[in-house]
Amino acid sequence: MRVTVIGTGYVGTVTGACLAYLGHRVTCVDTDGAKIEKLRMGESPIYEPGLEELMRLGAERGGIDYQTELAGAVRESDVIFIAVGTPPLPSGESNLAYLEAAARGIGAAMDAERYRVVVNKSTVPVGSGNLVGALVREGLLESNPGIADSVRFGVASNPEFLREGSAIHDSLYPDRIVVGTEDEATAAVMRALYRPLVEQEFADPSFAPRPVARRVPMVTTTLTSAEMIKYSANAFLAMKIGFANEISNICERVGADVTEVMTGIGLDARIGTGFLNAGIGWGGSCFGKDISSLLHTAGEYGYQARLLEASLAVNRLQRQVVIQKLQEKLYILKGRTIALLGLAFKPNTDDLRDAPSLQIAEKLIQMGARVRAYDPIAMDACREQNPALRICYCNDALSAAEHADALVLVTEWPEFGNLNLADLAGRMNSAVLIDGRNMFSPEKARSCGFEYAGIGRSNGRATKVAPVAPPA
Ligand SMILES: NC(=O)c1ccc[n+]([C@@H]2O[C@H](COP(=O)([O-])OP(=O)(O)OC[C@H]3O[C@@H](n4cnc5c(N)ncnc54)[C@H](O)[C@@H]3O)[C@@H](O)[C@H]2O)c1
């Protein structure tokens, strides 16, 4: 099929490369000329493991090209994906300006030559599927009213569930594909588009091997349900992490270890082991934005979603835990040097949107501390996007730790797991380690000379009571 993908960010670039890999002929369009230039050179505008390789394979298989001009691509396409950003406004509402421009642009370019499907992959407030349809029609009426009655198109909502850092794996082997649409012709086009993915009829790339051979379920719903599925999934995942964090704060007070507690509850099949790692809170471009947007929608209908409100509040507070722990260990933060390990909101990405690291660094600097940082991938992005943030960027973890008063593990990059803790501790003014992701073994860290504090771990205070021996 001929496919256009509008927006070459985290979602659009991956979607385009995957669809081309499956054999579709793809054109990716973005208004950002610099991104398009990079993509044309075979370079990904984002850090995502395997993406450049998939772009190369996609170009060989279905074919893929990149351009800034939308109209020609739309005219040649059967399916047009919208994958532009929907960032939050200060009110919590989603900013739909990019989506609106894309939808009108599609309408303005339409002709009566073929039936087209406009697929919304951006995360949009409930009801936006109808909005996309209305905007496409408006664009059409504004630029080509004479043919408006003969132009045929359908609208689908196809929310994206990929995780940055494992986006290729998630896109080639999704748990499910959700398609919301109100008409059968559109559903049929979407089934044809995704058939290779549903049937898993493609050779798996060497860098993203197929985990298990199985058909991918396709959930077909109304437009509104598809939009609600995306928000509900993110709200639930954020709530699960928030729950682990809430419990971690109680664990610390009673002398329990949250990692043991979460293992114990996660093995219950009704609960599941994923997203139960306590830490310094979730970040990224989606959870906060999507919960705020869902809250806003609920509010428009006169409903106060208290669980969602609590989820945001718990996460906000959790980010302050690092500062409290530093104060407990060092008392005074003014004039201290704090080294941050990791800046990205999670490992394997350079994405810093709503990253806890930024808030922690800002707060420390505000309190008079000096902040040093090392991140394997996200330092350039951090420097570029936060020029006013006075962070001293270091070449590696060891130089970040040099003469520092405390080390804070912010992002659990796998390479940090291999650090020589004794070497790190030996370079510091005072060997304090705040393990914001519970990455290290407290016993090991302490035996290497660190004064260690994890999240929700008993910090050695609790005494293990030996089981009472049965009477002889
Ligand atoms: N990043 C994720 O992990 C993720 C996961 C699931 C869903 N989503 C959702 O997918 C959408 C896209 O997210 P993202 O992270 O890829 O965004 P992004 O900000 O990385 O990329 C958006 C791209 O759209 C381009 N753009 C904006 N207006 C345009 C227009 N009119 N025409 C062409 N290009 C235009 C921008 O230049 C940018 O390159 C959002 O709604 C987001 O909530 C994101």
Side-chain angles (χ1 to χ4, degrees):
M1 292 173 108
R2 299 286 305 226
V3 179
T4 291
V5 179
I6 308 178
T8 57
Y10 288 85
V11 170
T13 312
V14 172
T15 302
C18 281
L19 290 172
Y21 185 78
L22 296 179
H24 298 299
R25 177 72 186 84
V26 177
T27 300
C28 290
V29 179
D30 204 294
T31 43
D32 184 335
K35 270 189 188 174
I36 293 297
E37 270 317 303
K38 264 192 127 173
L39 285 160
R40 281 184 179 153
M41 315 262 287
E43 289 171 34
S44 160
I46 51 161
Y47 175 83
E48 182 61 47
L51 180 54
E52 285 184 357
E53 184 62 1
L54 196 76
M55 284 161 51
R56 196 182 59 71
L57 293 173
E60 280 172 19
R61 291 175 151 227
I64 185 162
D65 63 279
Y66 306 95
Q67 59 189 53
T68 50
E69 205 258 329
L70 178 64
V74 167
R75 272 194 289 275
E76 286 178 13
S77 291
D78 307 296
V79 181
I80 303 138
F81 278 91
I82 301 179
V84 300
T86 48
L89 291 167
S91 61
E93 272 175 283
S94 302
N95 178 354
L96 297 180
Y98 305 107
L99 179 96
E100 290 180 9
R104 278 180 204 280
I106 295 168
M110 290 257 198
D111 58 26
E113 294 301 308
R114 58 175 105 192
Y115 179 77
R116 296 183 180 85
V117 172
V118 179
V119 186
N120 187 28
K121 220 175 217 319
S122 298
T123 305
V124 290
V126 178
S128 299
N130 296 330
L131 177 71
V132 167
L135 290 166
V136 170
R137 194 148 288 285
E138 268 178 36
L140 173 62
L141 285 167
E142 276 160 21
S143 38
N144 233 337
I147 59 161
D149 286 342
S150 50
V151 170
R152 295 163 306 125
F153 73 94
V155 175
S157 166
N158 174 215
E160 180 55 62
F161 301 101
L162 65 77
R163 295 163 297 176
E164 289 174 19
S166 53
I168 306 300
H169 177 279
D170 295 349
S171 301
L172 292 177
Y173 317 112
D175 292 337
R176 77 301 203 189
I177 297 167
V178 174
V179 173
T181 182
E182 311 288 332
D183 65 275
E184 182 41 41
T186 301
V189 170
M190 295 305 286
R191 275 197 296 273
L193 180 84
Y194 278 131
R195 196 180 47 95
L197 205 61
V198 167
E199 302 297 341
Q200 290 287 295
E201 281 168 351
F202 57 90
D204 49 348
S206 58
F207 53 90
R210 181 175 282 112
V212 276
R214 63 164 186 94
R215 236 176 147 261
V216 174
M218 187 157 176
V219 182
T220 313
T221 69
T222 62
L223 280 169
T224 312
S225 295
E227 290 161 354
M228 269 306 283
I229 287 170
K230 175 63 194 172
Y231 281 109
S232 315
N234 271 356
F236 187 80
L237 292 171
M239 202 174 63
K240 226 178 153 192
I241 299 174
F243 177 80
N245 287 334
E246 181 99 288
I247 296 295
S248 79
N249 292 324
I250 306 176
C251 281
E252 279 187 11
R253 284 158 176 82
V254 301
D257 185 317
V258 73
T259 59
E260 293 174 352
V261 174
M262 290 303 135
T263 303
I265 71 165
L267 289 170
D268 184 327
R270 293 168 301 176
I271 295 174
T273 50
F275 281 70
L276 283 179
N277 293 334
I280 51 178
W282 45 257
S285 66
C286 291
F287 284 178
K289 159 176 91 76
D290 292 352
I291 295 176
S292 300
S293 179
L294 188 53
L295 269 169
H296 192 271
T297 301
E300 282 180 342
Y301 288 80
Y303 181 72
Q304 188 185 356
R306 291 178 179 79
L307 200 52
L308 301 185
E309 286 174 350
S311 202
L312 288 182
V314 166
N315 198 57
R316 251 192 319 270
L317 286 174
Q318 196 64 18
R319 292 181 178 189
Q320 293 171 21
V321 162
V322 167
I323 308 291
Q324 284 157 12
K325 286 183 185 291
L326 285 169
Q327 286 176 323
E328 277 165 26
K329 297 282 181 200
L330 300 172
Y331 299 107
I332 309 292
L333 297 186
K334 212 181 202 42
R336 301 280 200 184
T337 300
I338 312 296
L340 305 183
L341 291 187
L343 292 166
F345 87 92
K346 67 173 182 178
N348 293 319
T349 181
D350 59 354
D351 200 343
L352 287 148
R353 289 178 283 185
D354 198 21
S357 63
L358 299 178
Q359 238 175 310
I360 292 167
E362 246 168 55
K363 183 78 188 159
L364 287 170
I365 292 167
Q366 201 183 66
M367 294 175 86
R370 315 260 181 282
V371 175
R372 299 162 68 81
Y374 167 69
D375 186 288
I377 296 293
M379 288 198 293
D380 286 345
C382 194
R383 209 182 272 123
E384 204 174 293
Q385 292 164 22
N386 304 279
L389 202 56
R390 281 177 290 114
I391 293 180
C392 169
Y393 296 96
C394 302
N395 289 335
D396 51 39
L398 287 179
S399 38
E402 202 79 50
H403 304 303
D405 295 293
L407 196 60
V408 181
L409 189 283
V410 180
T411 315
E412 67 278 37
W413 282 95
E415 70 171 62
F416 294 153
N418 302 324
L419 284 170
N420 181 333
L421 291 183
D423 195 1
L424 273 176
R427 289 164 187 253
M428 297 175 62
N429 270 353
S430 60
V432 169
L433 172 58
I434 311 295
D435 183 358
R437 301 292 178 188
N438 288 342
M439 192 175 194
F440 302 109
S441 139
E443 293 76 23
K444 168 119 193 274
R446 289 188 185 113
S447 73
C448 290
F450 272 112
E451 203 176 319
Y452 174 93
I455 305 290
R457 300 180 123 176
S458 55
N459 298 330
R461 281 193 314 244
T463 320
K464 275 196 180 155
V465 181
V468 179

